Amino acid sequence: MALTRPHYLIGSAADLRPAELQRVNPHAKAAIFDFDCTLAEHGATELPPDSLDMIIQMGRAGIWVFVSTNIYDEEAHDRQSMLRKLRDPKN
């Protein structure tokens, strides 16, 4: 398994595109992002359009996207519901 080193820097997670990820790691099948301060501003309740676009592009390129967070209780439930809509906008 090939891992991309954490010292690879970009201006914003939203700037990452599938072709760039695959250039850095041709074997990349997934990407993991933290929600607060990576995909969205701290305390945000929704993804900004540029982060959402990046996630959609990754999915279309066959790259699994995982979102992590360290929240809990009702806030975690709300975040889970929001992220679930990315998989199935009807829910």
Side-chain angles (χ1 to χ4, degrees):
M1 173 171 63
L3 297 174
T4 301
R5 301 287 182 246
H7 64 266
Y8 178 71
L9 298 176
I10 56 175
S12 166
D15 294 339
L16 186 61
R17 295 295 177 241
E20 179 66 9
L21 177 61
Q22 292 168 335
R23 183 189 68 75
V24 173
N25 182 344
H27 305 287
K29 302 285 187 224
I32 303 169
F33 299 95
D34 182 46
F35 188 89
D36 287 318
C37 300
T38 301
L39 293 177
E41 295 293 323
H42 179 73
T45 57
E46 295 192 16
L47 284 169
D50 55 349
S51 289
L52 181 58
D53 181 57
M54 179 274 296
I55 290 171
I56 290 169
Q57 286 188 34
M58 292 287 186
R60 287 181 179 160
I63 298 170
W64 287 69
V65 175
F66 296 90
V67 177
S68 67
T69 187
N70 63 351
I71 58 174
Y72 53 91
D73 290 336
E74 188 173 325
E75 187 180 6
H77 182 268
D78 293 344
R79 174 96 28 99
Q80 183 182 30
S81 296
M82 183 269 296
L83 292 170
R84 187 174 287 125
K85 290 177 185 174
L86 294 175
R87 276 196 343 222
D88 186 3
K90 293 176 262 173
N91 290 330

